[in-house]
Amino acid sequence: MHVEMDPLDLTVRDLNATCAFYTRVLGMCELRSDSGDRALTFGGRQINLCLDGQDAEPSAQQPTSSSADLCFITSEPLAHIACRLRDNGVSVEDGPLEHTGADGPILSIYFRDPDAHLIELSNYL
């Protein structure tokens, strides 16, 4: 069986703050549906944004903001990303650290989005 992930649902407290962060800091694109649903797109993938307390059904049993750990792979050097994070008032919590990703060794930095989800940005080595 071949499996891919798309979309991912992310529970957030503030749709505007989340969209601003991911578009400004990570270069994702915001998508709005005619029904008012909002999502972020990047690299052919999508993150559906669910407002905390108003999650669509079906959903996780107890969806909450600040509960996700997300890893994104990028070809942009982590030093450039760290500068952009700093310029946007975002602190790198850890890294760069080397460990193993799905396709081999990666180098990662870690920071938090507006909901305190842990975000890992990585380069394959």
Side-chain angles (χ1 to χ4, degrees):
M1 172 190 334
H2 174 78
V3 178
E4 292 187 28
M5 185 170 54
D6 185 37
L8 168 80
D9 289 351
L10 187 64
T11 301
V12 302
R13 289 183 292 252
D14 184 328
L15 293 170
N16 292 326
T18 298
C19 289
F21 177 85
Y22 281 89
T23 57
R24 184 182 70 247
V25 176
L26 297 181
M28 294 182 182
C29 296
E30 181 182 351
L31 180 67
R32 292 182 187 222
S33 72
D34 292 337
S35 64
D37 293 334
R38 294 168 80 176
L40 299 161
T41 60
F42 63 98
R45 297 292 181 250
Q46 182 170 308
I47 299 173
N48 293 332
L49 300 176
C50 305
L51 194 57
D52 199 2
Q54 297 181 9
D55 298 297
E57 293 296 330
S59 68
Q61 188 170 357
Q62 294 178 323
T64 58
S65 60
S66 78
S67 63
D69 293 347
L70 304 173
C71 179
F72 300 105
I73 304 298
T74 181
S75 59
E76 185 176 352
L78 295 181
H80 294 173
I81 294 168
C83 288
R84 187 165 60 251
L85 291 170
R86 185 182 64 244
D87 291 347
N88 282 280
V90 179
S91 299
V92 172
E93 285 193 12
D94 208 353
L97 299 174
E98 188 174 332
H99 58 103
T100 302
D103 292 326
I106 57 177
L107 189 64
S108 302
I109 58 173
Y110 300 84
F111 55 94
R112 304 245 174 216
D113 76 0
D115 286 285
H117 295 115
L118 181 65
I119 307 300
E120 175 183 355
L121 278 179
S122 303
N123 295 146
Y124 272 102
L125 299 175

